[in-house]
């Protein structure tokens, strides 16, 4: 793999320069102190760059909404004609975590499968991702990427990956797109030596060790494959769940949506927005018939989908080990707890 | 794409969330991780709190009724009409021919201005809002007992309570982020007692669940106190040092023997004894209640009885220990705090007190502020029907669906000479209006809400209002100015808050710069005051806590041979009040698209009712038709109907009988009959 | 790249009332090219929009062998279908599709066909029935067992008579609640087993109807000796997008909209028990 170096102090300069060509999305500290992926406003780039976080901060919502927004219009009626509302822009995603990038790749595949989803694919069309992997888990006891085998570092399928080796980042180049980018902005990058590559290796090992939550992921998949976990486990979950939908809204690989119309007089917009399989109406037919009427059936759907059906169709689990389902759950349920329970 | 921190518009939890906008449209909402209430979580309504804002049916231009039809006009014309008609009615019939309904959905600043408009500009105290329909009993009852009607503790304190007693609150459904804390607390060792006529979700998590009959609260609370006193579990030292009136209480509760309570309330003796012992013996015990306690003709009695119970066991004035009436509306606490009530100015300062009046007269630059308490919501509507209220200004409320006995409310609104409705959608009430003023939603203006734990926190403007819609505070100021009043010139809401702070001791330390990022909990008396986590520490707000022993009085209307079921009304998790926002939110509307009535399986079987059968439910006041939902959540002999649905409005059925002190209607008990269609 | 979410306008040419809550619409695309090129197979569905009310998946009931127009039978049960019922001849609906797999047709040639339908389950089968009749010589005997709640609720009342008159075709009807001088069979559709010989020999069975009916018919077919792979069922699921994205219709690892709606009973048995309902 090709590698380079960039000084930490040059990151913001690079982003500033790149913002001429790209819409840049990066983890930004927002009002209230949360860190979220935001688009750096071109008109106020300097101020925004100061708020870009380079630390391993917890990011409560994954960057999936950059391509699959919570709400987006599919088309509008204007002057009696249907007008498509497909978005396109060149997007540079900076500071994405390995687990989240795996989520993006997973969703990419899904939206390409069988029928292509123009809205998603147009938003992802020109996309470059710079991964900045975590040295320490942003949320100890929530993160379990090492168990899900999605991080904290990737060894393939990425454009660019930054490894924090102290003063500088080791820049690993994983794709032609990544390489083109580095060449275009080469003045910010330096050659790297073997000692820096070695240093990165040590850093990576330490980062892997720093994640304390260990979950028997493959055993869980095996179990789901062979026999379903007992109803009692789902029923216990169902009794706790307050159906907020949070676990699904924040899941990097959850892509279900609802479609609905808004209309007043001549104006009309067709939207889609995030939907979740924990809601009773998700599968309720107009006739009132509902194949997943009971709460525990809906609780089971999510776990079985992520751990088994996704695996069956794609060879990959739909869970990337980001831990957000746990931290967004008002009653402290989550994938890691579920797996711990069924593998105990 | 912008992400702006703001406060959720739905319940009193007051979760912090980010609204996401793209090209002047809201495209999402997600929780604030650092916010002390949301902590990275939201309920389904919070997650979906953005969608209705975009709805194409939003009011975009002012409307005036001409020949029975609402027609678009300019702001100038609309404001002019409002000012002219209100001045005219004021001149002809006196100030008390005017009424103002403010809103627990609008900001503190706007509620303050609404009451200022009523009082300073028109010299009437006829100003009230929907707190009358939810926690009026709490304000009256807890003020009498403790000196303050607010929730005594903070939301974060639930997780450290030893015992939580939930009564008359479907907490997971109505205050999801408090309900979830209670569930989490149980994992950490908290004992949950649920005493509720409906078998709510929390009942499944409770160590003790008792199902009392509807409206029997005073009886079982007195019974519990009887057990506590007779077993010597009362907090004698606390009672001696911090309370008054104990002997009278002791005398009264003696009559509430276990047998008597079981007869009235239907709670088995053992359960009552267990509940009493567990609650009394705990060091840190919190009571949680909401509308199941307050919405009765004995609402104040119920609240006072809970206060008695808490004081009897020394369970007020400490961390994770207190009485916690959870506020329903996002800003019902604030609307009360800033004086959108007929008897008090901001900070619960009585209008009957001359020196208080003088203070407000000088702050507002007016003379002769009215010295008698004004009319309440329920009285204003009634007076409108009687021709006494001739001009009514309704801000963001929808009494046609929210007030009891809808048919009567409609008849009253028909009679009003001049009705102004200011709202974000053309509500059922707005259809009766002479002038409709289009308002900005919570995402389109700045301001503050005060949540159930007294946390005054910011909402922030994310996008512009649609069309010509304006923020409520701007509209109110314009009306005041057009009426010739010079004291309502503000360039931004923070200036209104500064004025509130200057006349309101408990808000005195509050200003926008101090509310970053997550607000301050009142009382906050000075610019240095850090805010108050829990109330009544060391002493009650009023000095000594007062026991007010109350006898059991049955509900106003009980089942008889013809109307043989008890009807209780309330909300569902998925919808909000009259549905103007949630029924325009696809996910929420999809989950519960139509009205329904919950009925116990045994009753359903007896009447041959199956799931989704259409039923007719009738009371002495009206009838509605809706689908059956069969569930053990309902007590046998009772049904429950959520009041969100205009096509089968529960309040067509409800009894307008009110609590004599708080004037709150008895939404929780009336008699109905059920027929299968 | 075609945007699958964009629907195309079609004009309603005729509306046939089937029962108090069910109508059949005959529509033609506005765009002539689309009218000619729109190709579908029996068993497929389209997404029909009434702009403002929303979109609903509806099976195509017309036969691909009869070109230039499309027919849909719609029961007014939800928001969209109720809105469709408010439309008049000359009004516009918006369509996209066709979506989903189809009933076996080529594979069924030279075999006997058995159709078992309940209520609103006949319309999807009608597409393959008419296509078979239009290629009559390619098939053996054709049996149609059809049940409804009441005589008035039977769809295609006139066409049923026409089918009855076709050589080597048998149409057997039944209702739960007889009325209007009903002389036919009374009872659920499986009671028709007593009225005719149901043989699995060289036969394929096509089943569509409410879940509870499907369940009993499947049992009956197995008892009669049908192999699971010779039984085809059109499964109903709540759908939004029709193209395997929105997730509403998923059953196990399958999407009813792209992997179905037609499944052989052999395939259905592979689906998770708890979500099958049949």
């Amino acid at each position: 793999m090709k590698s380079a170096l960039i000084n930490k102090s040059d990151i913001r300069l690079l982003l500033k320069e790149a913002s001429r060509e790209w819409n840049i999305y990066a983890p930004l500290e927002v009002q209230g102190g949360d860190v979220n992926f935001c688009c750096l406003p071109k008109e106020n780039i300097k101020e925004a760059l100061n708020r870009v976080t380079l630390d391993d901060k917890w990011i409560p919502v994954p960057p999936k909404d950059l391509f699959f927004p919570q709400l987006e219009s599919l088309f509008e009626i204007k002057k009696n004609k249907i007008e498509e509302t497909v978005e396109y822009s060149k997007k540079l995603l900076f500071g994405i975590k390995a687990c989240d990038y795996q989520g993006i790749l997973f969703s990419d595949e899904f939206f390409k499968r069988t029928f292509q989803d123009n809205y998603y694919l147009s938003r992802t069309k020109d996309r470059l991702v710079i991964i900045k992997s975590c040295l320490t888990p942003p949320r100890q006891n929530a993160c379990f990427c090492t168990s899900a085998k999605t991080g904290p570092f990737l060894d393939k399928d990425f454009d660019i990956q930054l490894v924090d080796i102290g003063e500088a980042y080791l820049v690993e180049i994983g794709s032609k797109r990544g390489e083109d980018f580095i060449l275009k902005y080469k003045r910010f990058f330096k050659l790297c030596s073997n000692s820096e590559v070695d240093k990165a290796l040590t850093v990576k090992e330490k980062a892997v060790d720093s994640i304390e939550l260990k979950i028997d992921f493959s055993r869980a998949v095996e179990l789901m494959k062979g026999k379903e976990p007992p109803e009692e486990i789902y029923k216990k979950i169902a009794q706790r769940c307050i159906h907020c939908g949070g676990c699904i809204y924040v899941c990097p690989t959850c892509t279900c949506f609802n479609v609905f119309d808004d209309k007043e007089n001549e104006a009309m917009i067709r939207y889609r927005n995030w939907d979740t399989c924990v809601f009773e109406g998700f599968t309720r037919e107009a006739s009132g018939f509902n194949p997943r009427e009971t709460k525990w059936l809906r609780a089971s759907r999510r776990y079985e989908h992520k751990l088994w059906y996704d695996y069956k169709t794609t060879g990959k689990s739909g869970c990337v080990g980001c831990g957000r389902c746990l931290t967004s759950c008002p009653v402290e349920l989550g994938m890691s707890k579920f797996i711990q329970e069924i593998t105990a | 794409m912008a992400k702006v921190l703001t406060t959720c518009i739905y319940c009193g939890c007051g979760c912090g969330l980010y609204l996401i906008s793209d090209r002047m449209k809201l495209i999402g909402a997600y929780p604030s991780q650092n916010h002390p209430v949301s902590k990275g979580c939201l309920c389904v309504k919070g997650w979906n709190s953005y969608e209705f804002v975009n709805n194409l049916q939003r009011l975009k231009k002012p409307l005036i009724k001409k020949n029975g039809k609402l027609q678009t006009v300019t702001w100038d014309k609309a404001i002019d009409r409002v000012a002219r008609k209100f001045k005219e009615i004021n001149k002809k019939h006196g100030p008390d021919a005017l009424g103002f309904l403010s809103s627990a959905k609008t900001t503190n600043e706007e509620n303050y201005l609404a009451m200022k408009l009523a009082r300073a500009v028109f010299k009437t105290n006829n100003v009230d809002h929907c707190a009358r329909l939810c926690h009026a009993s709490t304000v009256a009852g807890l003020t009498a007992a403790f000196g303050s009607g607010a929730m005594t503790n903070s939301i974060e304190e639930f997780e450290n309570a030893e015992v939580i007693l939930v009564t008359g609150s479907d907490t997971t459904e109505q205050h999801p982020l408090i309900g979830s804390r209670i569930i989490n607390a149980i994992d950490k060792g908290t004992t949950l007692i649920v005493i509720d006529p409906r078998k709510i979700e929390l009942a499944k998590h409770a160590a003790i669940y008792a199902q009392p009959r509807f409206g029997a609260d005073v009886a079982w609370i007195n019974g519990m106190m009887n057990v506590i006193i007779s077993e010597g579990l009362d907090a004698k030292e606390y009672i001696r040092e911090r309370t008054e009136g104990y002997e009278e209480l002791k005398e009264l509760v003696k009559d509430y023997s276990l047998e008597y309570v079981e007869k009235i309330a239907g709670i088995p003796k053992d359960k009552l004894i267990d509940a009493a012992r567990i609650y009394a013996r705990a060091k840190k015990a919190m009571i949680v209640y909401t509308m199941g306690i307050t919405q009765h003709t004995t609402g104040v009695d119920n609240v006072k009885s809970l206060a008695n119970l808490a004081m009897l066991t020394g369970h007020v004035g400490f961390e994770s220990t207190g009485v916690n009436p959870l506020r329903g509306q996002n800003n019902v606490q604030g609307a009360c705090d800033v004086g959108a009530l007929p008897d008090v100015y901001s900070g619960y300062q009585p209008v009957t007190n001359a020196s208080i009046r003088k203070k407000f007269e000088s702050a507002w630059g007016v003379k002769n502020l009215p010295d008698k308490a004004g009319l309440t919501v329920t009285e204003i509507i009634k007076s409108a029907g009687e021709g006494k209220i001739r001009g009514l200004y309704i801000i963001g409320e929808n009494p046609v669906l929210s007030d009891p006995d809808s048919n009567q409310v409609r008849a009253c609104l028909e009679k009003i000479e001049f009705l102004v409705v200011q709202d974000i959608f053309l509500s059922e009430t707005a259809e009766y209006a002479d002038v409709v003023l289009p308002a900005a939603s919570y995402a389109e203006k700045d301001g503050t809400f005060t949540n159930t734990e007294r946390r005054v926190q910011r909402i922030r403007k994310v996008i512009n209002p649609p069309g010509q819609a304006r923020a409520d505070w701007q509209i109110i100021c314009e009306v005041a100015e057009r009426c010739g009043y010079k004291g309502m010139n503000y360039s931004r809401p923070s200036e209104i808050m500064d004025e509130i702070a200057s006349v309101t001791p408990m808000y005195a330390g509050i200003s926008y710069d101090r509310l970053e990022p997550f607000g301050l909990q009142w009382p906050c008396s000075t610019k240095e005051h850090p805010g108050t986590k829990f109330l009544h520490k060391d002493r009650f707000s009023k000095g000594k806590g007062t026991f007010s022993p109350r006898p059991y009085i049955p509900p106003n209307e009980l089942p008889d041979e013809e109307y043989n079921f008890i009807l209780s009304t309330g909300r569902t998790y998925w919808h909000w009040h009259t549905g103007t926002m949630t029924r325009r939110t696809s996910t929420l509307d999809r989950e519960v698209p139509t009205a329904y009535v919950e009925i116990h399986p045994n009753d359903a079987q007896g009447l041959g009712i199956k799931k989704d059968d259409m039923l007719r439910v009738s009371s002495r006041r009206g009838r509605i038709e809706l689908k059956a939902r069969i569930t053990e959540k309902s007590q046998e002999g009772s049904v429950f109907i959520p009041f969100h649905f205009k096509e089968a409005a529960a309040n067509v059925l409800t009894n307008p009988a009110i609590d004599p002190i708080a004037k709150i209607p008895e939404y929780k008990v009336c008699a109905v009959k059920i027929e299968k269609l | 790249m075609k945007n699958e979410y964009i629907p195309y306008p079609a004009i309603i040419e005729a509306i046939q009332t089937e029962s108090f809550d069910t109508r059949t619409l005959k529509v033609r695309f506005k765009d002539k090219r689309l009218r000619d090129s729109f190709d579908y197979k029996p068993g497929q569905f389209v997404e029909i929009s009434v702009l403002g009310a929303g979109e609903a998946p509806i099976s195509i009931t017309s036969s691909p062998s009869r070109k230039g127009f499309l027919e849909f039978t719609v029961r007014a049960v939800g928001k969209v279908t109720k809105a469709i019922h408010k439309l008049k001849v000359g009004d516009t609906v918006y369509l996209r599709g066709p979506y989903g797999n189809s009933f076996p047709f080529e594979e069924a040639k030279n075999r006997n066909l058995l159709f078992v339908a309940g209520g609103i389950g006949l319309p999807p089968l009608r597409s393959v029935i008419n296509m078979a009749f239009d290629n009559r010589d390619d098939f053996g005997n054709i049996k149609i067992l059809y049940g409804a709640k009441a005589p008035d609720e039977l769809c295609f009342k006139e066409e049923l008579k026409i089918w009855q008159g076709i050589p080597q075709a048998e149409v057997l009807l039944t209702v739960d609640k007889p009325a209007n001088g009903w002389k036919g069979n009374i009872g659920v559709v499986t009671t028709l087993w007593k009225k005719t010989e149901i043989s699995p020999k060289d036969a394929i069975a096509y089943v569509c109807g409410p879940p509870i009916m499907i369940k009993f018919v499947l049992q009956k077919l197995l008892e009669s000796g049908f192999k699971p792979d010779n039984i085809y069922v059109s499964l109903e699921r709540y759908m939004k997008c029709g193209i395997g994205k929105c997730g509403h219709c998923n059953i196990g690892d399958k999407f009813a909209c792209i992997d179905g709606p037609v499944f052989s009973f052999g395939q259905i048995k592979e689906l998770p028990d708890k979500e099958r309902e049949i």
Side-chain angles (χ1 to χ4, degrees), chain A residues 25 30-34 36-39 58 60-61 65-66 69-71 73 76 87 139 238-240 242-246 249-250 258 260 262-264 267-269 271 273-276 279-282 284 288 293 295 327-332, chain B residues 1 3-5 18 20 23 25-34 39-44 47-48 50-51 54-57 159 172-173 176-177 180-181 183-184 187-188 201 204-205 460 516-518 573-574 586-587 590-593 611-612:
Chain A
Y25 296 83
V30 291
Q31 237 167 352
D34 276 25
N36 273 314
F37 285 103
C38 297
C39 185
W58 180 250
V61 183
D65 64 339
L66 307 184
Q70 210 166 342
L71 175 78
S73 74
E76 298 180 16
E87 190 262 0
R139 265 276 176 117
Q239 178 156 324
R240 253 185 114 85
I242 62 162
H243 32 62
C244 68
Y249 291 140
V250 300
N258 190 18
F260 66 96
D262 187 9
K263 187 175 189 287
E264 178 72 349
M268 181 263 167
I269 305 174
Y271 289 106
N273 69 343
W274 292 356
D275 205 345
T276 95
F279 298 153
E280 194 255 338
F282 186 75
R284 191 207 309 121
E293 191 165 22
K295 220 171 145 188
T327 61
S328 71
C329 179
V331 288
E332 300 171 355
Chain B
M1 198 167 72
K3 299 183 184 187
V4 178
L5 178 67
Y18 292 94
I20 305 148
R23 283 162 290 179
K25 213 180 214 183
L26 293 187
I27 59 159
Y30 50 66
S32 157
Q33 186 72 46
N34 290 330
K39 286 189 167 172
C41 308
L42 289 173
C43 77
V44 71
W47 276 105
N48 288 281
Y50 59 92
E51 195 182 307
N54 299 327
N55 192 284
L56 292 169
Q57 291 173 350
E159 289 184 62
T172 51
E173 300 259 323
L177 274 267
S180 62
R181 276 177 169 78
I183 292 175
N184 295 339
D187 292 350
K188 290 166 196 135
E201 280 295 308
K204 297 175 189 161
H205 299 265
R460 294 180 177 83
E516 295 299 335
F518 302 126
Y573 173 64
W574 304 94
S586 55
T587 303
R590 196 251 335 260
E591 285 307 301
V592 182
K611 175 186 169 243
D612 290 342

Side-chain angles (χ1 to χ4, degrees), chain C residues 138-195:
Chain C
D138 293 346
F139 299 93
N141 68 51
I142 297 177
K143 247 176 223 188
I144 301 164
L145 313 186
Y146 181 34
K149 270 191 200 140
D152 280 352
E153 296 185 34
L154 291 164
C155 293
F156 315 118
K157 293 179 193 70
E158 292 307 311
E159 208 165 357
L160 289 171
K161 289 179 200 157
I162 297 173
W163 292 346
Q164 225 141 13
I166 296 173
Q168 268 192 292
E170 196 180 354
V171 179
L172 291 133
L173 304 178
T174 183
V175 296
D176 297 347
K177 290 179 201 152
N180 306 338
W182 174 258
K183 292 198 185 67
N185 191 60
I186 298 167
V188 293
V189 77
T190 44
T191 60
L192 291 172
W193 252 252
K194 289 186 212 132
K195 305 273 166 180

